[in-house]
Amino acid sequence: MSAILKRELSSYFNSAIAYVVFAAYFFFSGLFFHTYCVLFNSTSLSYVYADMMMIILFIVPIITMKTFADEKYQKTDQALLTSPVSLFQIVMGKYMGAFVMYAMCSCIFLLYAIVISFFAVPEWSVIICTFIGLLLFGAALVAIDIFISSLTESTIVAAIVSMAVNLVIYMMTSFANIISIDWISWIIEKINFATYYDAFKYGLLNITDIVFFLSVAGLFIFFTVRVLEKRRWS
Amino acid sequence: MVEVKNLTKYYGNIKAVDDISFTVETGEILGFLGPNGAGKSTTMNMITGYLSSTSGTVTIDGSEILDDPKKAKSKIGYLPEIPPLYIEMTVRKYLEFMFDLKKVKLPKKEHIEEVMRLVHISEQSERIIKHLSKGYRQRVGFAQALLGNPPVIILDEPTVGLDPKQIIEIRNLIKSLGKKHTVIFSSHVLSEVSEICDRIIVISEGKIAADAKTDELSTQVLGNQKLAVQIEGNSSDIIAAIKKIPAVVRVIKTGEQNDAGKYMIEYDKDSNIRRDVFNAMVRINCAILDMQSGNETLEDLFLRLTSGTVKSSAGGK
């Protein structure tokens, strides 16, 4: 697994992906930080976090699009699948690689918090909790998008479908509001990421919320393993 | 070393591989021969665990590929038809990755150097694979298959797309590997298979059409040997004289050239009748102008086997 993780990370940095992702992430987070914190003289990073959610929906697919789609297209999956490594280890290696990329981007928030601490006392509990929430939110998105990448041979298709799915996940609260059938809006409420993400924004760490995001990640890692397994049998 | 039993693979309703069984011993080089789409690659993919079989088993040195995949896969070095190369990596970085992936226990740096030397890519080690020619890419693929000195090496059409010099190099490499490893390799080039392999399995439409030692293939499959002769003199006398030779099964006149008749003599595969034919012709005072083996070349045989005009008597060893 560590061999795959290492290769994944080096492939991000050997191609333009890592630099494009970092540039986009730092540009938008810097813009929001400048607008909300510097111009409005605020010590709260909440608005920066909130607006970055929208950007993350498009950045995660860029990180994950190549994971399995490109392996299949280049036929390099033959090397992975005929080596003495289990399917779970292959998926985990790729998942960890993508997640580490995502986490590296997210660390910029800690830098913003440190900048604020030079001028005022930041609300550390909120900043750290939201940061943890952001990582968990990303952990779930990365797993979903890797699963989508495993379904296709085309990185472009993987990226576009992932973005669409991420957008649907992001807009679930609005869906719940416009649907009048009770049981459907109840289900949407229960699987809505925002329901579980909200507490982090207020500096609360609930075990339910953490378990929710980790379960989603686990579930889609499991699905990805099943997709690879199924491909061998079909 | 490699035991394949009743291997069958369906793609949907299409039967790609149909009940194939064979065994390969240690140190044997087995050639897998068949036209495109005969099921060679599918069979190899099942042996290496890339695909699962619909039914049947593959055992590598005692470990079943589906029950104990890690152990079985660690004993195989596989070069698929398209080498599985990460083209953005350098040759050395790629081999280091494959070394780690395969969990090889040998000293890393020395072993990679040794493998690169073996396939002659040491000078290219720092180049990015994307910039390498087809021949070099093939060798890098070959190098990753050799990492960890696996006892079984499986090569799917390793010489396709190479220039003649490279083909000869790869062939020599396969021959030298066969001394220590079990090698299974596929090809649709007959001369190549007959030159390198100890044994040939011909696959046609997912089934084994023939399985025999290379030098015995034609005689085993065809049953009788053939001799093509050109003799001066009266045809009926000549045919009568030849028919008296005990091992002869059949004589037919195939043509005439400059007053000399051409004959095809079919005779029992375990005997040698050339001297008898000579003596018989001396007795009736007819001169033999030409005599050569009338056995079909491997090419003819291959075409007949794969088009289904010959049913092998040597199938299923």
Side-chain angles (χ1 to χ4, degrees):
Chain A
M1 190 182 103
S2 63
I4 298 176
L5 169 62
K6 222 168 92 185
R7 201 207 75 77
E8 282 299 304
L9 286 175
S10 77
S11 102
Y12 286 128
F13 285 95
N14 284 334
S15 66
I17 290 184
Y19 307 102
V20 169
V21 164
F22 280 137
Y25 202 102
F26 296 163
F27 172 76
F28 285 106
S29 62
L31 188 71
F32 300 145
F33 178 68
H34 181 76
T35 314
Y36 296 121
C37 298
V38 181
L39 292 183
F40 295 166
N41 265 333
S42 165
T43 59
S44 165
L45 280 175
S46 314
Y47 292 110
V48 185
Y49 274 123
D51 279 8
M52 273 312 284
M53 291 300 270
M54 190 70 193
I55 304 300
I56 287 167
L57 304 179
F58 295 95
I59 280 184
V60 171
I62 304 293
I63 299 176
T64 58
M65 64 182 184
K66 270 178 88 176
T67 42
F68 284 102
D70 202 44
E71 294 267 353
K72 204 169 150 193
Y73 180 71
Q74 307 267 9
K75 303 259 184 274
T76 42
D77 57 338
Q78 275 188 316
L80 297 179
L81 295 174
T82 57
S83 62
V85 185
S86 70
L87 289 177
F88 176 72
Q89 286 171 317
I90 295 173
V91 176
M92 274 315 277
K94 298 222 157 236
Y95 175 77
M96 288 312 290
F99 180 72
V100 167
M101 267 295 291
Y102 171 80
M104 279 196 282
C105 293
S106 306
C107 283
I108 193 76
F109 279 103
L110 299 180
L111 191 71
Y112 296 146
I114 292 167
V115 171
I116 291 173
S117 72
F118 285 125
F119 304 99
V121 182
E123 219 176 331
W124 283 109
S125 64
V126 172
I127 288 172
I128 297 294
C129 272
T130 320
F131 180 71
I132 292 171
L134 197 73
L135 287 184
L136 287 167
F137 185 87
L141 274 196
V142 167
I144 293 172
D145 293 352
I146 283 187
F147 167 71
I148 292 168
S149 176
S150 76
L151 296 175
T152 172
E153 250 181 66
S154 155
T155 49
I156 300 295
V157 170
I160 291 171
V161 173
S162 298
M163 284 173 190
V165 169
N166 293 356
L167 215 55
V168 168
I169 290 170
Y170 184 74
M171 299 194 310
M172 266 193 190
T173 316
S174 330
F175 290 144
N177 290 339
I178 54 169
I179 291 171
S180 53
I181 305 164
D182 280 351
W183 62 272
I184 294 183
S185 49
W186 182 81
I187 291 175
I188 292 177
E189 168 81 18
K190 288 293 163 199
I191 57 167
N192 188 356
F193 279 32
T195 314
Y196 302 91
Y197 182 70
D198 278 347
F200 293 108
K201 291 198 291 200
Y202 305 121
L204 299 172
L205 276 185
N206 284 337
I207 195 81
T208 344
D209 305 333
I210 297 172
V211 168
F212 173 77
F213 286 116
L214 291 181
S215 309
V216 171
L219 190 68
F220 279 90
I221 288 171
F222 171 75
F223 285 159
T224 311
V225 173
R226 299 312 299 167
V227 168
L228 296 186
E229 184 74 43
K230 186 194 160 276
R231 200 185 295 158
R232 296 165 77 192
W233 288 95
S234 59
Chain B
M1 184 52 92
V2 180
E3 198 186 353
V4 174
K5 254 195 214 158
N6 307 106
L7 208 59
T8 303
K9 177 76 181 176
Y10 278 93
Y11 289 121
N13 288 326
I14 301 160
K15 208 177 212 178
V17 173
D18 186 4
D19 198 22
I20 283 183
S21 300
F22 62 88
T23 316
V24 197
E25 301 302 334
T26 310
E28 196 173 14
I29 305 182
L30 173 73
F32 240 51
L33 204 59
N36 294 323
K40 298 185 301 264
S41 293
T42 306
T43 307
M44 291 188 145
N45 280 334
M46 283 193 283
I47 296 175
T48 54
Y50 178 63
L51 290 176
S52 303
S53 54
T54 309
S55 64
T57 56
V58 175
T59 315
I60 313 287
D61 198 15
S63 318
E64 232 257 86
I65 195 84
L66 291 178
D67 291 344
D68 192 359
K70 280 192 189 176
K71 203 166 167 203
K73 285 174 183 175
S74 67
K75 289 175 181 158
I76 303 176
Y78 180 36
L79 170 62
E81 203 172 348
I82 299 162
L85 306 174
Y86 292 100
I87 52 172
E88 78 281 1
M89 296 173 104
T90 65
V91 172
R92 187 186 299 277
K93 283 268 183 285
Y94 170 71
L95 291 178
E96 281 173 1
F97 164 65
M98 290 307 291
F99 184 98
D100 292 339
L101 188 69
K102 292 182 176 195
K103 298 171 186 160
V104 180
K105 298 280 187 307
L106 300 162
K108 192 168 175 178
K109 201 162 179 285
E110 290 83 353
H111 183 58
I112 289 175
E113 288 294 341
E114 185 195 327
V115 168
M116 286 199 294
R117 236 188 345 264
L118 207 60
V119 296
H120 306 293
I121 47 167
S122 302
E123 294 82 39
Q124 318 295 329
S125 65
E126 301 307 328
R127 288 184 67 187
I128 292 173
I129 297 175
K130 204 190 316 193
H131 300 149
L132 293 178
S133 67
K134 165 97 176 126
Y136 276 122
R137 287 186 189 198
Q138 193 73 16
R139 289 189 217 193
V140 178
F142 216 122
Q144 68 70 33
L146 299 181
L147 285 174
N149 293 325
V152 179
I153 292 175
I154 298 179
L155 310 162
D156 197 354
E157 308 207 352
T159 54
V160 166
L162 303 185
D163 66 42
K165 187 168 167 276
Q166 290 167 335
I167 289 179
I168 292 168
E169 274 177 24
I170 295 282
R171 276 184 199 167
N172 290 337
L173 186 60
I174 296 172
K175 269 192 220 167
S176 67
L177 286 174
K179 289 175 191 140
K180 278 189 279 179
H181 307 256
T182 303
V183 182
I184 303 179
F185 96 106
S186 76
S187 178
H188 52 244
V189 183
L190 278 144
S191 54
E192 181 171 282
V193 175
S194 58
E195 192 189 318
I196 305 172
C197 300
D198 310 321
R199 195 173 131 209
I200 297 178
I201 289 184
V202 182
I203 294 196
S204 172
E205 289 167 8
K207 290 191 181 119
I208 293 185
D211 176 354
K213 293 264 180 225
T214 308
D215 44 0
E216 293 168 3
L217 186 66
S218 63
T219 48
Q220 276 205 31
V221 174
L222 292 172
N224 292 327
Q225 299 249 43
K226 282 180 182 167
L227 195 64
V229 287
Q230 197 178 349
I231 305 169
E232 259 179 354
N234 183 296
S235 310
S236 48
D237 290 349
I238 292 170
I239 291 173
I242 293 172
K243 275 189 174 162
K244 281 183 195 154
I245 302 169
V248 169
V249 179
R250 206 152 66 105
V251 188
I252 36 170
K253 190 171 178 187
T254 55
E256 194 144 341
Q257 194 181 19
N258 305 335
D259 298 332
K262 286 180 169 178
Y263 305 88
M264 181 63 80
I265 310 171
E266 235 177 84
Y267 62 101
D268 191 70
K269 67 181 175 188
D270 299 322
S271 51
N272 190 346
I273 60 158
R274 284 174 297 180
R275 192 164 282 124
D276 299 331
V277 172
F278 172 78
N279 289 332
M281 291 307 109
V282 168
R283 274 197 293 275
I284 61 168
N285 200 20
C286 292
I288 300 175
L289 303 181
D290 185 36
M291 180 187 282
Q292 50 185 299
S293 167
N295 283 339
E296 284 175 290
T297 60
L298 273 171
E299 266 83 4
D300 301 328
L301 191 66
F302 172 68
L303 283 174
R304 289 180 55 180
L305 278 169
T306 52
S307 62
T309 39
V310 174
K311 280 281 165 272
S312 162
S313 57
K317 202 173 178 178

